[in-house]
């Protein structure tokens, strides 16, 4: 159990876990709390306004020219001869759970060869939290799907967790409200980027955990269930702390206005 972030793991896995704990959350975390309070998840089956648009070849070429004229970097989109196009998307990684990466350790083998004991690789995994505010640019094709973007991101960070544990979200800001929509596996992020334009407030992409319904708790042992209960208690206490902090800020603003 880490004293700073309250991370709990099995005692045999303790030596394999690496944490980047920086102490208790500071008051500056309030901005994230405010954004979480403003976020509204929408249904994945509800297509966004960008996904409804249909463009012909001439319109795609014109959109690309307009897009390239609006960006202040060299992350341009390029039209290919076959009618497809390539470009960059920026993905914000907002993961609240640790991810696993491979950690191979050489250990002696029990089988002795002619030259003595041989060594063999033992596959182990090391878990850690991605730093807050992690952003990754990807160069993709117009027909690259959301599921393929997730796979590419996991390969970039050598994450060995199941890709189905993650989901790509479309984030937009409108009327001082933040909206999130989970992209379907077949949706094309670069096409959405082209239709929405380069403005990050209009459209941005976020990688988050994929919440996949109910958990079969009967499949866990008693020690695991007790451990889950302790984790849930700490998460509840942290959630209450954030709520109190947010309301305290609102109360302070009201008092200053009075």
């Amino acid at each position: 159990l880490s004293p700073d972030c309250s991370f709990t793991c099995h005692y045999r896995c303790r030596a394999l876990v690496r944490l980047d704990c920086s102490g208790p959350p500071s008051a500056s975390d309030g901005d994230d709390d405010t954004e979480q309070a403003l976020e509204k998840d929408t249904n994945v089956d509800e297509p966004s306004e960008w996904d409804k648009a249909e463009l012909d070849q001439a319109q795609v070429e014109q959109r690309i020219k307009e897009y390239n004229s609006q960006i202040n970097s060299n992350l341009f989109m390029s039209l290919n001869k076959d009618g497809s196009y390539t470009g960059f998307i920026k993905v914000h990684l907002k993961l609240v759970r640790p991810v696993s990466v491979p950690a191979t350790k050489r250990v002696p083998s029990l089988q002795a060869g002619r030259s003595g004991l041989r060594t063999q690789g033992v596959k182990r995994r090391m878990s850690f939290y991605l730093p807050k505010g992690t952003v990754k640019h990807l160069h993709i094709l117009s027909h690259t799907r959301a599921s393929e973007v997730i796979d590419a991101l996991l390969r970039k960070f050598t994450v060995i967790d199941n890709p189905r544990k993650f989901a790509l979200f479309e984030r937009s800001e409108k009327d001082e409200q933040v909206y999130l929509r989970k992209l379907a596996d077949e949706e094309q992020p670069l096409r959405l980027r082209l239709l929405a334009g380069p403005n990050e407030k209009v459209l941005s992409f976020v990688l988050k955990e994929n919440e996949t319904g109910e958990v079969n708790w009967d499949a866990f042992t008693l020690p695991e269930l007790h451990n889950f209960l302790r984790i849930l208690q700490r998460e509840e206490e942290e959630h209450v702390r954030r709520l109190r902090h947010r309301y305290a800020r609102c109360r302070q603003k009201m008092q200053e206005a009075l």
Side-chain angles (χ1 to χ4, degrees), residues 141-155:
L141 295 166
S142 55
H143 53 76
T144 301
R145 299 173 298 168
S147 58
E148 295 172 330
V149 170
I150 296 175
D151 292 338
L153 286 170
L154 298 184
R155 288 197 301 269

Side-chain angles (χ1 to χ4, degrees), residues 99-105 122-128 154 157-161:
V99 295
S100 300
V101 296
T104 304
K105 182 179 180 181
V122 177
K123 292 184 178 180
R124 298 175 179 269
R125 60 173 57 195
M126 180 173 60
S127 299
F128 69 98
L154 298 184
F157 290 94
T158 64
V159 175
I160 59 177
D161 293 318

Side-chain angles (χ1 to χ4, degrees), residues 178-228:
V178 178
Y179 295 90
L180 284 177
R181 184 183 71 88
K182 186 169 71 172
L183 299 183
D185 290 342
E186 301 299 323
E187 291 192 64
Q188 300 165 342
L190 188 61
R191 179 176 178 272
L192 298 177
R193 178 79 279 163
L194 176 63
L195 293 173
N199 193 330
E200 286 285 313
K201 290 188 176 181
V202 176
L203 174 70
S204 60
F205 297 106
V206 181
L207 183 72
K208 301 180 68 175
E209 282 85 2
N210 186 21
E211 304 298 340
T212 56
E214 295 296 326
V215 179
N216 182 17
W217 297 111
D218 295 332
F220 295 94
T221 63
L222 284 178
E224 289 175 329
L225 292 173
H226 285 300
N227 196 38
F228 291 152

Side-chain angles (χ1 to χ4, degrees), residues 97-126:
R97 303 189 186 107
V99 295
S100 300
V101 296
T104 304
K105 182 179 180 181
R106 308 296 295 181
V107 297
S109 173
L110 296 178
Q111 299 178 354
R114 294 182 178 179
S115 58
L117 292 178
R118 293 180 298 174
T119 59
Q120 62 179 3
V122 177
K123 292 184 178 180
R124 298 175 179 269
R125 60 173 57 195
M126 180 173 60

Side-chain angles (χ1 to χ4, degrees), residues 39 80-81 100 118 156 169 177 185 236 245 255:
E39 286 183 353
N80 301 323
K81 294 181 179 179
S100 300
R118 293 180 298 174
K156 290 284 186 180
F169 286 81
Q177 183 72 52
D185 290 342
E236 180 182 0
H245 176 72
Q255 290 174 349

Side-chain angles (χ1 to χ4, degrees), residues 19-240:
L19 298 177
D20 185 18
C21 299
S22 56
S26 61
S28 60
D29 294 338
D31 294 338
D32 289 342
D33 300 338
T34 304
E35 178 170 317
Q36 290 177 4
L38 293 175
E39 286 183 353
K40 284 188 176 180
D41 291 339
T42 56
N43 198 308
V44 67
D45 297 326
E46 299 176 1
S48 66
E49 56 181 306
W50 320 116
D51 200 33
K52 300 175 184 177
E54 294 293 339
L55 302 178
D56 56 27
Q57 184 70 15
Q59 291 174 321
V60 169
E61 185 176 359
Q62 180 62 28
R63 288 268 188 166
I64 291 177
K65 290 181 180 179
E66 294 176 357
Y67 181 93
N68 291 339
S69 65
Q70 296 173 14
I71 62 176
N72 298 322
S73 62
N74 58 350
L75 303 180
F76 299 108
M77 288 194 187
S78 302
L79 184 64
N80 301 323
K81 294 181 179 179
D82 60 358
S84 64
Y85 49 95
T86 59
F88 293 85
I89 62 170
K90 181 168 69 172
V91 182
H92 302 262
L93 286 80
K94 295 186 177 181
L95 304 176
V96 297
R97 303 189 186 107
V99 295
S100 300
V101 296
T104 304
K105 182 179 180 181
R106 308 296 295 181
V107 297
S109 173
L110 296 178
Q111 299 178 354
R114 294 182 178 179
S115 58
L117 292 178
R118 293 180 298 174
T119 59
Q120 62 179 3
V122 177
K123 292 184 178 180
R124 298 175 179 269
R125 60 173 57 195
M126 180 173 60
S127 299
F128 69 98
Y129 288 90
L130 284 177
K132 182 179 177 181
T134 301
V135 176
K136 189 66 179 178
H137 287 86
L138 290 178
H139 187 255
I140 61 176
L141 295 166
S142 55
H143 53 76
T144 301
R145 299 173 298 168
S147 58
E148 295 172 330
V149 170
I150 296 175
D151 292 338
L153 286 170
L154 298 184
R155 288 197 301 269
K156 290 284 186 180
F157 290 94
T158 64
V159 175
I160 59 177
D161 293 318
N162 192 327
R164 303 302 300 178
K165 293 182 178 180
F166 308 92
L168 191 64
F169 286 81
E170 168 192 283
R171 181 185 183 277
S172 59
E173 298 181 22
K174 185 178 181 181
D175 299 330
E176 298 183 354
Q177 183 72 52
V178 178
Y179 295 90
L180 284 177
R181 184 183 71 88
K182 186 169 71 172
L183 299 183
D185 290 342
E186 301 299 323
E187 291 192 64
Q188 300 165 342
L190 188 61
R191 179 176 178 272
L192 298 177
R193 178 79 279 163
L194 176 63
L195 293 173
N199 193 330
E200 286 285 313
K201 290 188 176 181
V202 176
L203 174 70
S204 60
F205 297 106
V206 181
L207 183 72
K208 301 180 68 175
E209 282 85 2
N210 186 21
E211 304 298 340
T212 56
E214 295 296 326
V215 179
N216 182 17
W217 297 111
D218 295 332
F220 295 94
T221 63
L222 284 178
E224 289 175 329
L225 292 173
H226 285 300
N227 196 38
F228 291 152
L229 287 175
R230 288 194 293 268
I231 294 174
L232 287 175
Q233 181 181 357
R234 295 189 178 97
E235 288 181 351
E236 180 182 0
E237 292 172 353
E238 177 63 17
H239 185 63
V240 170

Side-chain angles (χ1 to χ4, degrees), residues 1-27:
L1 175 63
S2 170
D4 294 330
C5 62
S6 301
F7 177 78
T8 306
C9 71
H10 192 272
Y11 75 98
R12 292 181 179 176
C13 305
R14 183 172 55 186
L16 304 177
V17 176
R18 299 291 185 272
L19 298 177
D20 185 18
C21 299
S22 56
S26 61

